[in-house]
Amino acid sequence: MSALMQTYARLPVTFSHGEGVYLYDTEGRRYLDGIAGIGVNALGHAHPGVTNAIRKQADKLVHSSNLYRIAAQEQLAAALTQVADMESCFFGNSGAEANEAAIKLARLYGHERGIKKPNIVVLEGAFHGRTLATLSATGNRKIQAGFEPLVTGFIRAPRNDVEALRQIAANNPDVVAFLAEPIQGEGGVKVLDSQYLQTARQICTEQGWLFMLDEVQTGNGRTGTYFAYQGLGLMPDVVTTAKGLGNGVPIGACLARGEAARVLGTGQHGSTFGGNPLACAVGLAVLDAIATQQLCANATAMGQLITDTLRADNSIAGQITEIRGKGLMLGIELYKDCGELVQPALDAGLLINVAAGNTIRLLPPLVINAGEARDLALGVADLIRKFN
Ligand SMILES: *Cc1c(COP(=O)(O)O)cnc(C)c1O
């Protein structure tokens, strides 16, 4: 069928272009995009701010090298650290790379304190990426199977279990960090309890562990604040992000503050492409649009509208166990597995995704308006109603 390695079970559709929350296939059919390239196209498709930034920067300079100073990279680091209330920033090209930087940073932090075999606490159901270190940190055996030996130095803890964290602290002097997604995305839109995160933050402070959040999916306005931790009133030592940051142009970032901000030194980490002029010019355009179009507030309002619309529909209430999430990161868990809903959704001109087998995951562009959000909710309700 194709010369591609079959790493993805691709749906039988090819898109030729998009505009806002809509994608158009090669036959000219229109689809309402409820997944935004897995949370990437936060500004929707063909956003003029992004398109102009790409055009303008491509006209001048796409790549130079981290051997030299890059103005757009310095500007984006300043803008991101400011919006995040962090102090320093490393740029890679993906979420996995952002997390690799965080993992390396945590290990180095441990070695600096004389811990020769540093361990990082990670959670059941977590997803941190597909590179060897990040798949080892991931709490899903399906993603790890066949790739042993895994990278060591990770201790698995159950979600939302403060006592388990205290046990780990009591029994493991070699822990250097805690790493978690505020809302587990691939794991099925599982929201960590706010109280659990507050206590985990406290334990990290007491133990001298770095409190690290993977905001690759939850970041960049998705949950109604620029980063999810800002809606929880807590501060991480390290935060990673990627997906929405480049609106489709590959970029990832690892941000740090305090002691963590100064751990990685010259020659200790790098990336040929990371933070190149094109990616950073686009990142600046994305940050600007999130602020000027008030997309955090829109994510909160539209997420509420979608949730309210689904909850008001009595005809599907019996099929739904729970609707959860925050802002425009929503999971609709059904009583049974529903992966087979993706195809009828496509037939109905709706792009959705199913995570953890039984949860419809919605990650629409943050630019979605009320009419489009209602269409998305009604479309999903219709699919659920017909699914028996
Ligand atoms: C998508 C995702 C990653 C991996 O990002 P890639 O860009 O695919 O490497 C890591 N962590 C979380 C929480 C994600 O959602």
Side-chain angles (χ1 to χ4, degrees):
M1 179 196 129
S2 85
L4 293 168
M5 291 193 188
Q6 298 299 304
T7 53
Y8 283 92
R10 292 179 163 88
L11 289 159
V13 62
T14 304
F15 300 110
S16 64
H17 63 287
E19 193 182 351
V21 297
Y22 294 104
L23 277 170
Y24 297 82
D25 72 13
T26 45
E27 322 272 77
R29 278 199 70 205
R30 190 177 83 155
Y31 301 80
L32 177 57
D33 189 357
I35 191 66
I38 320 188
V40 167
N41 298 102
L43 309 185
H45 304 282
H47 185 280
V50 170
T51 305
N52 284 333
I54 294 172
R55 284 206 181 116
K56 264 179 72 184
Q57 190 58 47
D59 224 22
K60 289 193 290 187
L61 183 70
V62 171
H63 178 84
S64 49
S65 165
N66 286 305
L67 294 172
Y68 315 105
R69 291 183 65 172
I70 297 169
Q73 186 183 116
E74 292 176 22
Q75 284 160 21
L76 183 58
L80 257 184
T81 50
Q82 194 191 351
V83 73
D85 209 5
M86 303 299 273
E87 291 168 28
S88 68
C89 179
F90 172 84
F91 290 109
N93 311 285
S94 64
E97 282 177 77
N99 287 333
E100 285 277 345
I103 292 164
K104 283 181 68 176
L105 189 161
R107 285 185 167 198
L108 204 54
Y109 168 84
H111 283 282
E112 278 180 2
R113 319 175 119 221
I115 297 172
K116 293 200 172 61
K117 291 189 172 174
N119 277 284
I120 299 171
V121 178
V122 287
L123 299 183
E124 286 172 4
F127 181 80
H128 296 300
R130 299 283 195 156
T131 61
L132 271 173
T134 59
L135 77 81
S136 300
T138 289
N140 178 347
R141 271 304 296 162
K142 274 193 209 153
I143 285 170
Q144 299 172 335
F147 302 110
E148 297 83 1
L150 300 181
V151 173
T152 57
F154 295 104
I155 296 176
R156 186 79 46 201
R159 263 195 308 269
N160 292 328
D161 186 339
V162 168
E163 208 34 56
L165 273 190
R166 292 205 193 283
Q167 284 293 323
I168 290 168
N171 298 319
N172 300 273
D174 290 345
V175 173
V176 295
F178 167 89
L179 171 66
E181 304 149 86
I183 302 175
Q184 294 183 338
E186 306 302 307
V189 194
K190 304 270 170 62
V191 185
L192 293 193
D193 295 342
S194 159
Q195 192 52 54
Y196 172 74
L197 284 171
Q198 305 283 351
T199 310
R201 166 69 272 187
Q202 206 179 316
I203 292 172
C204 285
T205 305
E206 286 162 16
Q207 301 289 329
W209 304 349
L210 297 176
F211 183 73
M212 310 201 298
L213 292 177
D214 176 347
E215 296 229 27
V216 168
Q217 192 163 148
T218 52
N220 310 295
R222 174 69 45 199
T223 72
T225 46
Y226 194 88
F227 284 110
Y229 62 79
Q230 294 167 319
L232 297 165
L234 54 81
M235 277 303 296
D237 301 301
V238 176
V239 62
T240 60
T241 195
K243 292 195 164 87
L245 182 55
N247 209 57
V249 173
I251 183 168
C254 174
L255 302 156
R257 73 182 175 105
E259 222 182 305
R262 294 172 284 278
V263 170
L264 285 169
T266 304
Q268 289 180 310
H269 198 40
S271 165
T272 297
F273 298 126
N276 84 13
L278 183 72
C280 290
V282 173
L284 282 164
V286 169
L287 254 69
D288 182 64
I290 289 174
T292 55
Q293 294 182 240
Q294 301 181 350
L295 296 182
C296 291
N298 194 57
T300 300
M302 294 304 109
Q304 196 61 54
L305 192 158
I306 292 169
T307 306
D308 289 348
T309 306
L310 287 166
R311 289 207 171 118
D313 190 337
N314 291 323
S315 70
I316 55 170
Q319 285 159 277
I320 298 174
T321 53
E322 189 179 34
I323 300 175
R324 50 178 184 257
K326 205 169 180 196
L328 285 172
M329 180 167 183
L330 297 171
I332 303 136
E333 186 181 304
L334 304 189
Y335 276 102
K336 57 178 184 179
D337 281 0
C338 55
E340 63 205 85
L341 273 181
V342 172
Q343 182 62 51
L346 196 65
D347 297 337
L350 206 59
L351 305 180
I352 61 162
N353 170 256
V354 170
N358 62 1
T359 302
I360 298 171
R361 176 171 53 163
L362 299 179
L363 299 166
L366 307 185
V367 295
I368 197 167
N369 67 30
E372 295 157 348
R374 195 166 291 112
D375 286 348
L376 178 58
L378 295 176
V380 168
D382 205 41
L383 284 168
I384 296 172
R385 196 175 306 112
K386 291 175 182 154
F387 182 57
N388 267 306

